[in-house]
Amino acid sequence: MNEPATAIEAAVAASPLHQLKDELDIVIPTIRNLDFLEMWRPFLQPYHLIIVQDGDPSKTIKVPNGFDYELYNRNDINRILGPKASCISFKDSACRCFGYMVSKKKYIFTIDDDCFVAKDPSGKAINALEQHIKNLLSPSTPFFFNTLYDPFAEGADFVRGYPFSLREGVSTAVSHGLWLNIPDYDAPTQLVKPLERNTRFVDAVLTIPKGTLFPMCGMNLAFDRQLIGPAMYFGLMGEGQPIGRYDDMWAGWCIKVICDHLGLGVKTGLPYIYHSKASNPFVNLRKEYKGIYWQEDIIPFFQQVVLPKDCTTVQKCYIELAKQVKEKLGKIDPYFDKLADAMVTWIQAWDGLNPTSASFSNGKTG
């Protein structure tokens, strides 16, 4: 039996995590009306939304009544960033990272507009945002793997043999959620398994070990903006670029290397969302084919990259990473020279909008 919306809303309001509503923004990239928010209303309505409209800026995007939001289109991005707007992708969901830049909150939750509320095996609606917050507020354990997974989860702990010196853990910078129904596959896998659906609900959260990369998906993702925000750049994708659908992958490789260097944690697993729509595998293949080829060089680069000890901030780490991208990946294709320059521009734009003590507000409000 489905839970009544009023019961869900009451449970959300009673949650101690509800108090974080003034510390978290929800970023949504879109090209269409946001009717999907009606399903999320019991969980997301208390929070502020930052909507990044991709594509034609003259198109009107409708947002359901009752949501507090800012909406930015390409004209707004150009007006706010000026020449530095070149680092924000166009006609690609990578434009979502502009929302990370203009936010002033400590935490970000980003979700795609084809992601619906999932249900756990008992049929209960999953409050994805609540689980992300739990993940971010509890420590990570990247230096030693716990075979009961997250030792801070209810009913779990550190197992026998886990070093007591490492049980305090480290701050969690990123919470990476998963998806039921349509899995996040690349185009070749989509073509081979067109009817495959993910029905497996795994009740687990894991810290990704230090030194291990992972394929980050941006459709159900939360992070601590103060800890890792400047590195959460989704690269140059979409119109005018030779590659697409690697925006979140690129950001994931960058943030993991930087989190490892700075001693921060990245978690994956719960929460699940319901991914409702499969994208066209033939269109995806056109976007991905260079990335599928290039990643055989990109991933070894990130596995071997070393950041100097004097890189003590996310910005310093990211500028150094951009330098190494230009030096080593620039040999593969001129695109990586352009991407490295955009990474530097991104940091300049971030710092310009996020001085130590200043507030920034722009765009349309609703």
Side-chain angles (χ1 to χ4, degrees):
M1 181 179 294
N2 293 338
E3 298 169 279
T6 52
I8 297 174
E9 289 166 355
V12 171
S15 168
L17 301 180
H18 185 65
Q19 65 190 10
L20 287 179
K21 68 182 181 67
D22 296 326
E23 298 180 58
L24 183 144
D25 278 334
I26 298 168
V27 174
I28 304 169
T30 193
I31 58 170
R32 59 182 63 87
N33 294 334
L34 296 181
D35 300 328
F36 90 111
L37 284 172
E38 288 294 352
M39 177 179 282
W40 286 99
R41 186 182 293 276
F43 303 127
L44 304 188
Q45 188 169 355
Y47 296 89
H48 181 68
L49 310 181
I50 298 177
I51 300 162
V52 184
Q53 177 181 345
D54 197 17
D56 182 2
S58 67
K59 181 180 177 180
T60 299
I61 299 292
K62 295 180 181 178
V63 181
N65 291 333
F67 284 91
D68 173 44
Y69 70 92
E70 303 165 70
L71 189 149
Y72 298 89
N73 61 33
R74 192 69 204 189
N75 293 338
D76 298 315
I77 294 171
N78 291 339
R79 171 175 53 83
I80 292 165
L81 295 185
K84 293 184 177 64
S86 61
C87 72
I88 304 298
S89 298
F90 184 57
K91 294 189 177 179
D92 193 280
S93 64
C95 67
R96 79 177 77 221
C97 60
F98 177 78
Y100 309 160
M101 183 186 288
V102 296
S103 171
K104 295 301 163 193
K105 305 291 178 60
K106 178 173 172 58
Y107 301 105
I108 294 287
F109 171 46
T110 185
I111 186 171
D112 284 4
D113 59 17
D114 61 352
C115 294
F116 299 162
V117 176
K119 293 181 179 177
D120 68 17
S122 74
K124 181 180 178 183
I126 297 170
N127 185 345
L129 178 53
E130 181 178 47
Q131 181 64 50
H132 275 303
I133 293 172
K134 286 180 180 177
N135 292 347
L136 290 170
L137 293 183
S138 61
S140 292
T141 53
F143 305 121
F144 201 89
F145 188 78
N146 190 54
T147 51
L148 268 184
Y149 308 125
D150 185 359
F152 301 99
E154 185 177 350
D157 210 324
F158 292 99
V159 297
R160 180 172 57 89
Y162 200 100
F164 281 87
S165 59
L166 296 177
R167 294 190 181 195
E168 186 175 334
V170 301
S171 297
T172 301
V174 179
S175 171
H176 176 255
L178 299 175
W179 355 265
L180 294 173
N181 195 39
I182 305 294
D184 187 30
Y185 286 161
D186 52 39
T189 308
Q190 280 184 291
L191 289 166
V192 173
K193 298 180 174 182
L195 301 180
E196 184 157 293
R197 299 294 180 263
N198 182 34
T199 59
R200 297 175 65 245
F201 181 95
V202 180
D203 187 7
V205 178
L206 292 76
T207 295
I208 301 173
K210 181 179 181 181
T212 300
L213 298 174
F214 75 111
M216 189 174 82
C217 172
M219 76 172 87
N220 175 22
L221 179 72
F223 59 94
D224 187 322
R225 187 175 171 278
Q226 293 179 2
L227 288 180
I228 199 63
M232 201 59 86
Y233 175 48
F234 276 44
L236 288 176
M237 303 283 153
E239 186 170 88
Q241 309 303 334
I243 185 174
R245 284 173 56 83
Y246 272 84
D247 51 335
D248 42 10
M249 299 292 150
W250 182 262
W253 297 326
C254 291
I255 62 96
K256 188 57 169 63
V257 165
I258 292 173
C259 283
D260 286 352
H261 176 75
L262 296 178
L264 300 170
V266 178
K267 293 180 180 179
T268 188
L270 301 179
Y272 283 91
I273 51 85
Y274 184 90
H275 187 206
S276 66
K277 188 176 67 176
S279 50
N280 187 312
F282 297 100
V283 173
N284 291 345
L285 187 59
R286 284 201 300 271
K287 294 178 180 179
E288 292 175 2
Y289 78 94
K290 285 194 175 182
I292 292 170
Y293 175 71
W294 286 342
Q295 71 183 15
E296 300 305 319
D297 291 306
I298 297 171
I299 291 172
F301 162 76
F302 279 105
Q303 288 173 327
Q304 297 163 19
V305 71
V306 176
L307 298 175
K309 289 183 178 179
D310 62 356
C311 289
T312 54
T313 67
V314 175
Q315 281 93 332
K316 287 181 180 179
C317 289
Y318 205 71
I319 293 296
E320 173 63 25
L321 200 51
K323 175 185 171 185
Q324 295 192 33
V325 166
K326 184 179 280 280
E327 289 176 355
K328 298 180 180 177
L329 296 182
K331 301 171 185 176
I332 299 173
D333 191 273
Y335 166 75
F336 291 99
D337 289 325
K338 188 177 179 181
L339 177 57
D341 291 340
M343 291 168 71
V344 174
T345 301
W346 161 265
I347 291 296
Q348 293 169 345
W350 181 284
D351 288 346
L353 294 187
N354 295 278
T356 306
S357 56
S359 61
F360 183 87
S361 178
N362 237 316
K364 302 177 182 68
T365 59

